[in-house]
Amino acid sequence: MVNRNCRATLRLLTLINRQGHPHPPLSSSPSGHISHSYLILPFSIAFVFLTVLCFYSGTGIDACWKQLQRNNVHGEHKIVSFFSPLASSLKTRQWGVKIQSRCYGSASVLVQRNPKFSKLNDEDVRYFEGILGAKNVIQDDEKLITANTDWMRKYKGSSKLLLQPRTTDQVSEILKYCNFRCLAVVPQGGNTGLVGGSVPVFDEVVVSLSAMSKIISFDKVSGILVCEAGCILENIISFLDSEGFIMPLDLGAKGSCQIGGNVSTNAGGLRLLRYGSLHGNVLGIEAVLADGTVLDMLKTLRKDNTGYDLKHLFIGSEGSLGIVTKVSILTPPKLSSVNVAFLACKDYSSCQKLLQEARRKLGEILSAFEFLDSNAMNLVLNHLEGARNPLPTSLHNFYVLIETTGSDESSDKQKLEAFLLGSMENELISDGALAQDINQASSFWLLREGIPEALMRAGAVYKYDLSIPVEKMYNLVEEMRSRLGNDANVVGYGHLGDGNLHLNVSTPQYDDKILSQIEPFVYEWTSKHHGSISAEHGLGLMKANKIFYSKSPETVKVMTSIKKLLDPNHILNPYKVLPCSSIS
């Protein structure tokens, strides 16, 4: 049982808090002591703005990419062999559009440019200029480098053209022409993906939705927002905040990602535990098919039981079936009482039991339940500027970040106190702290959201996004450590409330021997335990040929049939999502 003095201390701090005395400073405490105070701030500003800026600006991470993939020229094909090192002399500014080959996976699968696709010519460019105007038809090499390269700098295409339509009709005209000419197309939003889904593989035309960024309407009674696909997520969050609502989706990439890309990849994020996936929150979409046909499914109804609900085909299709141009989405009202806790657990079993207790005791106010292991915590503290351990007396095996969001401050506090006291008595919590202001809340979220940047700063990283039954989720991390030994630092963290594990293997440099130990083992293990090889990042190019680990051949055959029906010339985001063998 937990020390009675610890319980008395928690009650005393609670009493001090209620009487309006100054909050105790955030500091270490005896085992079981939870530094106690409360944060009552809108959820939408509880994350770390600095993390977003650093995470996507590339500041300080150039050194991590000196040994990325070597670009091997083999005519019109790319060998799929993940993370081959770059020649040390290769500079970022030299990643030009002439590269014709790229290494992406361990299976040595050959990805060939589809010979049916036409080559871009001057007449094509003039046609697009007639539709969009010359300023929205981009051929500048510097701008094309950005469009050709994903933000992690792993995937690199060689597109010669970037188009920036401003209306759905322009998107329709572009696709109608590209389909007629058999020009391959890559739809692109904020380009924040992790699996190579938003950049060209060869010389596909890039269609950017960034100029389509209008909020069309918002109904304060129903909370239904209608907007264009190019709206940046953070801008939507800010707009809704001013209206007294929140987005059901929140991501670390919110400062760059676009809602059309979020919908097209069925992004998960931090609020899925509370509000569910985009399949439940998106009420309607407008999408343009490969032949230019505009599908107006932009409903704003909660209920519409007339025939097939086709919008779900496009949610998560990664631009392979059509380009999403508008979205209607259900948004919940903003709640005033928010608390953020950072807790330590002795083992993974305690984390699981804590999740069970949180669901029972916190119920409807539980909005986030994230976990990270000691390896992840070490990386953040050692490689991320501004990261500080709120429990500095010792390094614990596991950490859990819990957020509650409700409308009744007094009731929320009582629930949280009862939950924490009960968890302490049951020895589920070894130590913990509650944020007393926005700065502490942000510092707690930094420890969780800053892990990807810390991994990049540490060196090479192999990233896997997996959905696994919660009780077995961490077993994969332990087995991977056993396989790799001292050759790599295996890091486990993610959305425990959703069963979403982010497995990361950190090494000083990319090594084919390390990769051969990871793949295909990680996919085989996940399949064996009835998991999914992609929880929220999609398949893109990285996992297109791995789809059979999660889907049966019969299912993939039906998916292929749908692709052929809606995009018979396969011009939309080719080489992605479905295995090349299934659509050749």
Side-chain angles (χ1 to χ4, degrees):
M1 298 292 288
V2 69
N3 190 307
R4 290 182 179 270
N5 290 333
C6 297
R7 295 175 59 188
T9 302
L10 177 59
R11 291 195 179 100
L12 176 60
L13 290 174
T14 303
L15 182 61
I16 291 174
N17 216 18
R18 287 175 173 170
Q19 292 175 344
H21 290 274
H23 295 290
L26 183 69
S27 61
S28 61
S29 55
S31 177
H33 170 169
I34 298 194
S35 303
H36 189 76
S37 52
Y38 292 91
L39 169 70
I40 306 175
L41 289 166
F43 184 102
S44 62
I45 61 172
F47 300 106
V48 188
F49 182 68
L50 176 62
T51 302
V52 177
L53 288 176
C54 293
F55 196 60
Y56 292 101
S57 66
T59 303
I61 64 173
D62 286 346
C64 299
W65 305 107
K66 288 182 179 178
Q67 299 192 18
L68 270 175
Q69 302 107 310
R70 180 180 292 113
N71 296 297
N72 299 307
V73 178
H74 293 288
E76 294 291 347
H77 68 265
K78 300 187 181 185
I79 297 174
V80 179
S81 180
F82 219 120
F83 296 129
S84 297
L86 270 175
S88 60
S89 61
L90 183 61
K91 305 296 183 182
T92 301
R93 63 177 180 270
Q94 293 175 316
W95 292 0
V97 297
K98 295 183 179 179
I99 295 172
Q100 291 296 321
S101 106
R102 192 70 172 165
C103 300
Y104 294 112
S106 63
S108 297
V109 175
L110 194 65
V111 177
Q112 293 183 325
R113 184 185 185 278
N114 189 335
K116 295 181 181 179
F117 292 148
S118 300
K119 294 279 192 176
L120 188 73
N121 59 41
D122 291 340
E123 185 178 345
D124 298 327
V125 174
R126 286 193 297 270
Y127 182 85
F128 292 130
E129 288 177 342
I131 298 172
L132 306 177
K135 68 177 183 179
N136 294 311
V137 178
I138 310 300
Q139 300 181 80
D140 178 73
D141 285 350
E142 291 299 319
K143 293 181 180 179
L144 284 171
I145 287 175
T146 301
N148 272 298
T149 311
D150 77 312
W151 74 269
M152 290 193 70
R153 305 179 190 177
K154 290 181 180 178
Y155 300 93
K156 180 74 175 73
S158 52
S159 176
K160 304 290 195 302
L161 192 67
L162 168 67
L163 304 179
Q164 296 178 319
R166 292 159 292 169
T167 67
T168 299
D169 287 343
Q170 289 180 346
V171 176
S172 176
E173 288 298 317
I174 290 168
L175 291 188
K176 187 184 300 182
Y177 181 83
C178 288
N179 191 58
F180 173 76
R181 280 274 292 122
C182 210
L183 291 169
V185 171
V186 174
Q188 191 170 95
N191 200 13
T192 59
L194 295 171
V195 292
S198 59
V199 293
V201 179
F202 297 100
D203 56 350
E204 300 90 279
V205 175
V206 178
V207 178
S208 169
L209 279 294
S210 59
M212 298 177 62
S213 57
K214 297 184 184 71
I215 291 176
I216 298 169
S217 66
F218 180 67
D219 185 338
K220 291 185 178 181
V221 176
S222 63
I224 296 172
L225 174 80
V226 180
C227 65
E228 292 183 319
C231 286
I232 293 174
L233 180 59
E234 189 169 47
N235 293 344
I236 297 177
I237 291 172
S238 297
F239 170 82
L240 290 172
D241 183 65
S242 68
E243 299 289 339
F245 288 77
I246 65 170
M247 272 293 284
L249 173 71
D250 202 341
L251 307 170
K254 60 188 172 185
S256 302
C257 65
Q258 298 173 11
I259 188 62
N262 299 149
V263 170
S264 296
T265 57
N266 190 29
L270 303 165
R271 289 178 172 164
L272 192 142
L273 175 65
R274 176 69 170 269
Y275 299 112
S277 73
L278 287 175
H279 276 288
N281 291 299
V282 172
L283 301 180
I285 64 168
E286 178 186 80
V288 184
L289 300 182
D291 65 357
T293 301
V294 178
L295 294 184
D296 184 357
M297 303 176 287
L298 202 62
K299 299 287 187 179
T300 57
L301 302 173
R302 296 287 300 274
K303 292 184 175 182
D304 180 8
N305 206 15
T306 52
Y308 307 132
D309 200 347
L310 295 181
K311 70 174 182 289
H312 290 294
L313 285 177
F314 298 88
I315 301 172
S317 67
E318 301 181 56
S320 64
L321 299 179
I323 298 181
V324 174
T325 50
K326 293 186 180 74
V327 177
S328 63
I329 189 165
L330 181 66
T331 69
K334 180 173 62 177
L335 303 178
S336 58
S337 173
V338 179
N339 299 281
V340 181
F342 194 79
L343 310 172
C345 296
K346 62 183 178 181
D347 52 35
Y348 182 67
S349 176
S350 297
C351 294
Q352 294 182 71
K353 292 175 182 177
L354 193 65
L355 173 61
Q356 293 174 343
E357 286 299 299
R359 283 175 164 156
R360 291 192 183 100
K361 302 294 175 57
L362 301 178
E364 75 285 352
I365 67 171
L366 182 63
S367 54
F369 197 104
E370 303 288 307
F371 94 104
L372 57 149
D373 61 17
S374 58
N375 288 23
M377 185 69 161
N378 261 325
L379 271 171
V380 173
L381 295 176
N382 292 329
H383 294 282
L384 198 63
E385 184 177 353
R388 186 168 64 92
N389 188 352
L391 314 171
T393 52
S394 62
L395 190 66
H396 300 271
N397 292 326
F398 292 90
Y399 298 88
V400 168
L401 187 151
I402 294 177
E403 183 180 74
T404 65
T405 310
S407 57
D408 189 328
E409 179 184 350
S410 176
S411 174
D412 293 350
K413 285 182 178 180
Q414 289 177 7
K415 282 188 176 182
L416 193 56
E417 288 171 6
F419 164 71
L420 292 172
L421 285 171
S423 299
M424 291 165 63
E425 289 175 346
N426 293 327
E427 299 183 334
L428 300 180
I429 300 173
S430 304
D431 203 350
L434 288 174
Q436 69 177 10
D437 54 34
I438 182 60
N439 293 326
Q440 287 187 3
S442 296
S443 70
F444 290 178
W445 275 110
L446 176 63
L447 295 172
R448 165 59 183 86
E449 287 294 280
I451 298 172
E453 183 185 351
L455 282 161
M456 290 193 298
R457 290 179 178 271
V461 59
Y462 302 87
K463 302 179 74 68
Y464 299 90
D465 160 53
L466 310 163
S467 187
I468 300 171
V470 172
E471 67 273 13
K472 300 177 181 178
M473 198 163 77
Y474 202 73
N475 292 353
L476 176 57
V477 180
E478 294 174 332
E479 289 195 37
M480 192 61 73
R481 284 185 182 139
S482 178
R483 286 176 66 87
L484 298 177
N486 296 325
D487 294 333
N489 181 20
V490 180
V491 174
Y493 70 97
H495 315 293
L496 190 63
D498 309 329
N500 181 183
L501 172 68
H502 293 305
L503 174 69
N504 289 255
V505 178
S506 177
T507 58
Q509 60 187 16
Y510 293 110
D511 187 333
D512 287 341
K513 292 181 179 179
I514 294 290
L515 182 59
S516 66
Q517 288 288 94
I518 302 172
E519 295 184 27
F521 171 79
V522 65
Y523 298 126
E524 292 171 345
W525 193 98
T526 302
S527 180
K528 177 183 176 181
H529 292 86
H530 309 290
S532 170
I533 63 169
S534 177
E536 61 180 2
H537 293 168
L539 295 169
L541 178 63
M542 175 183 173
K543 300 178 184 178
N545 288 303
K546 309 293 193 303
I547 191 173
F548 293 106
Y549 286 106
S550 292
K551 302 295 185 196
S552 69
E554 294 78 14
T555 301
V556 174
K557 184 178 180 180
V558 173
M559 293 169 66
T560 302
S561 298
I562 295 171
K563 167 70 171 176
K564 289 179 179 178
L565 175 66
L566 298 183
D567 180 20
N569 292 325
H570 305 155
I571 66 166
L572 288 173
N573 220 7
Y575 323 109
K576 320 283 181 60
V577 184
L578 293 171
C580 294
S581 59
S582 70
I583 58 175
S584 60

